Amino acid sequence: MRYLSSDEVLSAVAPREAVDALREVLKGGFDPATDPHRQKVALPHGEMHLLPSALDGAVGVKVLGIQPAGSDVDVLLVQGSYLLMGGETLTPEVVMDAAALTEVRTPAVAVAGVVDRLRASSEPLECVIVGAGVQGRAHARTVVDVLAGVREVSVTFISRSEPADLPYPWVESGSAAADEVLGKAGLVVVATSAGEPVVVDRQLRSNATVLAVGAHTVDTRELHEDVLRGAQVIVEDVGAARREAGDVAIAVEKGALAWDDVVTMAEVVRGEVALDPARRVVFKTVGMPWEDLAVARVVASQVQAGAR
């Protein structure tokens, strides 16, 4: 059984390849509603998350150890591994770094749901990313890679302080400059650790595409409910969103949105729901086990083939 380090995972697959892998699973008829639920197991110190899934020819599970809030242990907040197994034999085949897999998978999912909309124009795209951590930077790489040769992309980050080694311009959160760049952006990615809204309706274009990826519990959110009011709202799966997507659940609770108006990523990817270019689109993701497996299969196959 082979172990793939963080560097090996990150170098094995290009962002656009991860996006394509996710879309192919959905176009092939997979129903995310059938995916096993994320399991959260309380531990004496923190908790464990288990994300098992099965797709044609493979099964896998991501195991994460998550430090509790306020922990002073000098380790990463989230650590873990992904175990890829044979679909029929259930023989362990590859173990890979879970943090690196998540770094690839999360932006691939967000972009996969709206890539047709992003590619529909050849005009330059102004992308603003709120949050300059691992996921914010990974989303920048994915957006640029997926739109390479289609349209020019400019990226600006919004952060509370100047990020170290950031290869893009940045502006300070809450500043007039932040409002200005948000107001011009055709694509806004919100990837923060905030539990309360950091983006409100007045800051955004009426036809902006908004990808919300940071909050992942039903009682936390990054977007004010008015951002979702009147928008086309996409989720990976309605059941998963009801359990984990506070941005959507709170908007429904406050009367800005109805669950019946929410559409799924699969419906969009398969062309069953058209996205209106004149309306705002909000895609809220929480991460599902099938997505990890879809990307892990590509990583493993690329490494095995020696493609990179």
Side-chain angles (χ1 to χ4, degrees):
M1 182 171 60
R2 181 166 182 176
Y3 176 76
L4 301 180
S5 68
S6 175
D7 288 344
E8 288 175 304
V9 172
L10 293 174
S11 63
V13 58
R16 61 183 176 275
E17 293 170 331
V19 169
D20 290 343
L22 292 160
R23 288 171 62 84
E24 287 169 7
V25 170
L26 295 178
K27 288 182 177 181
F30 177 75
D31 181 3
T34 66
D35 206 33
H37 297 179
R38 178 198 305 260
Q39 302 296 312
K40 298 181 180 181
V41 181
L43 301 173
H45 181 84
E47 62 182 16
M48 180 183 295
H49 287 198
L50 305 174
L51 290 85
S53 191
L55 296 172
D56 291 342
V59 297
V61 58
K62 184 161 72 173
V63 182
L64 300 176
I66 301 177
Q67 290 289 312
S71 172
D72 58 1
V73 179
D74 187 20
V75 297
L76 297 174
L77 174 66
V78 180
Q79 303 176 85
S81 296
Y82 193 89
L83 173 61
L84 185 65
M85 307 163 70
E88 293 184 359
T89 65
L90 304 184
T91 303
E93 296 176 349
V94 179
V95 175
M96 63 185 73
D97 182 81
L101 178 63
T102 304
E103 183 177 338
V104 176
R105 179 267 285 165
T106 303
V109 172
V111 174
V114 296
V115 67
D116 290 335
R117 176 178 169 97
L118 297 179
R119 287 174 171 165
S121 171
S122 60
E123 295 296 316
L125 176 68
E126 295 191 44
C127 173
V128 170
I129 299 178
V130 185
V134 170
Q135 277 303 326
R137 297 172 190 232
H139 277 75
R141 292 193 298 271
T142 301
V143 170
V144 170
D145 189 53
V146 166
L147 294 182
V150 177
R151 59 195 302 192
E152 180 183 343
V153 181
S154 62
V155 178
T156 303
F157 279 80
I158 295 177
S159 178
R160 287 175 293 184
S161 58
E162 184 172 4
D165 303 320
L166 185 69
Y168 298 101
W170 77 284
V171 296
E172 187 175 359
S173 303
S175 66
D179 283 347
E180 182 179 356
V181 296
L182 281 169
K184 294 178 180 179
L187 175 64
V188 176
V189 179
V190 191
T192 74
S193 59
E196 296 294 332
V198 294
V199 174
V200 299
D201 174 69
R202 64 170 178 77
Q203 295 174 300
L204 301 173
R205 284 170 37 177
S206 61
N207 64 344
T209 300
V210 181
L211 307 179
V213 303
H216 51 82
T217 62
V218 75
D219 58 352
T220 58
R221 57 178 177 159
E222 299 174 291
L223 305 177
H224 189 275
E225 65 268 18
D226 284 346
V227 174
L228 287 75
R229 193 185 304 274
Q232 286 184 283
V233 177
I234 310 168
V235 297
E236 294 142 293
D237 169 65
V238 173
R242 285 179 178 270
R243 295 189 301 271
E244 301 180 29
D247 290 276
V248 180
I250 294 171
V252 171
E253 179 185 341
K254 292 182 175 290
L257 179 70
W259 283 112
D260 287 346
D261 295 328
V262 175
V263 302
T264 67
M265 176 186 180
E267 291 174 314
V268 175
V269 169
R270 294 173 189 155
E272 297 164 5
V273 171
L275 300 181
D276 185 348
R279 290 176 64 186
R280 181 179 299 156
V281 167
V282 177
F283 184 17
K284 171 59 191 172
T285 64
V286 295
M288 297 184 69
W290 72 269
E291 300 160 351
D292 290 306
L293 179 53
V295 176
R297 289 194 306 182
V298 176
V299 169
S301 66
Q302 292 281 52
V303 170
Q304 184 176 12
R308 296 183 186 280

